[in-house]
Amino acid sequence: MSFSFFKASRPKTPSELAKAVKDTFNALDSITVAEVKALEKAMEEVEKNIVAMKVMLTGDGEAEPNPDQVSQLTFEVCNEDVIALFIHKLPILGWEARKNLVHCWSIMLKQKVDSKFCCVQYMENHLELLDFLVVCYDNKEIALHCGGMLRECIKLPSLAKYILESPSFELFFKFVELPNFDVASDAFSTFKDLLTKHESAVSQYLTDNYSEFFEQYEKLLTSPNYVTRRQSLKLLSEFLLEPPNSHIMKRYIAEVSHLKVMMNLLKDSSKNIQISAFHIFKVFVANPNKPREIKLILAKNHERLLALLNNLGKGGEDDQFEEEKELIMKEIQKVFRLANLES
């Protein structure tokens, strides 16, 4: 005698699952906060469908995901406008649901459907969603999840280029100094990716926005926050010394205001910051085409600079560092002697 009264429910097809995700997300809009039980039930349905998506995309631990289903789900999610719901509904989801959704997003964004990355195309046609993700750094509850989604998007040149050129990019100068350490660190990771992942886009952005960018960046280099100073100094070395940015570097090392910032950082209380500052300062000094104003600053401050450099990194740096330091000290002495001859 069989006691099986309930028939196991048939797993949803990719098309049915995408529609179910859309319907359950939209159902949340029709329920008021006062309807507590209904809201809890609707949220359970949303979270259940997100888990079902994750299983379809990653497998269930026993069986591998079906490539055809993964492709079909990715297509249907784009076709049903579910991606916009993913992003706009993040603030009302629980932590686990947000984590699962970010995981699903990282898979679908890379998924090709009929030789096209349809999620990338969707984002290219809905670029305002990128701005929404950037602004979400102001909400510490979802900032890290939105940051994860953003960094997946930034891997694509077209999406990274849009953010660089968008007014929302300027918000990163604020977000990297937010009081919440985890959020500020995550924002800096995204900021770094934007400035290092796609050389040609970054080079064009810096060319077009040189003055505005470095005016803001100088505030990071002179921040009272140690972590901000150290991270921004290290990042400056990374993108400034890239070959495609050589014209930016030449312009940067010709300006007295930037030299003065590096000279002040050579006096920083942190040894790590002093060393990082030296690696940019040396480019100012080694420049064979130093402008007259740069030479005058170096000559005027030569005694203090030589004293600082003489004590820099004592006992902890390698032979190459010591050789570079010695060459820079000799160049400063040479600049001072020539300045005296000319006066």
Side-chain angles (χ1 to χ4, degrees):
M1 186 179 192
S2 174
F3 290 93
S4 179
F5 297 110
F6 301 101
K7 187 178 180 181
S9 60
R10 175 181 63 81
K12 291 183 176 73
T13 65
S15 178
E16 290 169 341
L17 182 54
K19 192 171 186 312
V21 172
K22 180 178 182 177
D23 290 344
T24 50
F25 267 132
N26 285 331
L28 294 173
D29 294 333
S30 63
I31 303 169
T32 66
V33 178
E35 299 173 89
V36 178
K37 291 291 182 185
L39 192 60
E40 286 178 357
K41 177 67 177 170
M43 193 63 78
E44 283 177 16
E45 286 300 309
V46 168
E47 292 175 356
K48 187 172 74 175
N49 284 323
I50 291 172
V51 169
M53 265 202 320
K54 183 183 174 187
V55 169
M56 189 172 285
L57 291 168
T58 65
D60 60 5
E62 295 180 4
E64 290 293 311
N66 180 316
D68 291 336
Q69 285 193 329
V70 172
S71 294
Q72 187 64 26
L73 178 61
T74 302
F75 172 78
E76 295 294 345
V77 159
C78 295
N79 195 46
E80 291 283 346
D81 268 341
V82 178
I83 291 176
L85 290 170
F86 281 174
I87 293 170
H88 285 301
K89 299 297 183 185
L90 269 175
I92 63 173
L93 297 177
W95 191 88
E96 191 68 24
R98 290 198 296 261
K99 186 184 80 167
N100 287 335
L101 202 54
V102 173
H103 190 182
C104 292
W105 175 243
S106 69
I107 295 168
M108 289 190 290
L109 195 62
K110 303 182 188 85
Q111 186 64 37
K112 262 188 180 179
V113 180
D114 294 332
S115 78
K116 294 178 182 177
F117 292 98
C118 61
C119 285
V120 176
Q121 286 187 332
Y122 184 93
M123 293 300 289
E124 287 173 342
N125 292 326
H126 299 81
L127 291 167
E128 71 283 354
L129 294 175
L130 294 171
D131 293 313
F132 180 87
L133 287 171
V134 172
V135 172
C136 281
Y137 272 117
D138 250 338
N139 181 345
K140 67 181 180 181
E141 297 302 320
I142 60 169
L144 303 187
H145 297 99
C146 290
M149 293 183 79
L150 260 179
R151 284 189 295 281
E152 289 297 326
C153 292
I154 288 166
K155 291 175 183 177
L156 288 308
S158 60
L159 303 184
K161 184 175 185 292
Y162 171 78
I163 300 173
L164 279 171
E165 295 173 353
S166 167
S168 64
F169 176 67
E170 292 182 23
L171 293 172
F172 280 99
F173 291 101
K174 165 193 162 187
F175 294 148
V176 299
E177 294 216 82
L178 286 170
N180 184 297
F181 178 79
D182 290 335
V183 175
S185 297
D186 194 276
F188 198 92
S189 294
T190 306
F191 186 56
K192 178 180 177 181
D193 281 1
L194 281 165
L195 290 169
T196 56
K197 287 288 183 187
H198 305 287
E199 293 176 352
S200 59
V202 172
S203 180
Q204 188 60 55
Y205 167 75
L206 292 174
T207 301
D208 295 341
N209 301 276
Y210 178 90
S211 299
E212 298 86 347
F213 175 81
F214 283 108
E215 182 181 339
Q216 295 277 9
Y217 205 89
E218 186 173 309
K219 294 173 185 174
L220 300 182
L221 294 169
T222 56
S223 168
N225 186 306
Y226 162 74
V227 175
T228 301
R229 290 199 309 281
R230 184 174 180 189
Q231 287 185 324
S232 56
L233 191 54
K234 187 179 178 185
L235 176 57
L236 179 64
S237 293
E238 287 185 40
F239 71 79
L240 200 59
L241 302 180
E242 286 290 336
N245 294 333
S246 60
H247 64 295
I248 300 295
M249 183 195 70
K250 287 174 185 175
R251 185 173 173 182
Y252 186 86
I253 63 173
E255 296 186 24
V256 167
S257 61
H258 301 319
L259 173 61
K260 287 180 176 178
V261 170
M262 291 306 140
M263 287 167 59
N264 282 326
L265 288 170
L266 286 172
K267 299 186 292 181
D268 197 276
S269 58
S270 161
K271 177 188 171 185
N272 287 323
I273 287 178
Q274 291 174 6
I275 299 294
S276 295
F278 170 76
H279 288 301
I280 298 177
F281 172 76
K282 70 185 182 186
V283 185
F284 284 89
V285 180
N287 179 13
N289 301 308
K290 287 184 282 292
R292 183 173 180 276
E293 295 81 3
I294 296 288
K295 292 177 183 177
L296 288 174
I297 293 288
L298 293 174
K300 182 180 177 182
N301 295 277
H302 81 284
E303 286 186 3
R304 279 180 291 176
L305 287 169
L306 292 173
L308 280 170
L309 293 175
N310 190 49
N311 292 317
L312 185 64
K314 279 201 167 176
E317 300 306 313
D318 56 26
D319 292 342
Q320 183 182 343
F321 175 82
E322 292 300 328
E323 287 173 14
E324 287 182 352
K325 193 174 78 169
E326 188 177 335
L327 287 171
I328 294 304
M329 291 173 72
K330 285 180 180 177
E331 180 63 22
I332 291 171
Q333 290 168 330
K334 178 183 171 184
V335 168
F336 173 67
R337 287 196 304 273
L338 290 174
N340 279 345
L341 289 174
E342 292 172 6
S343 61

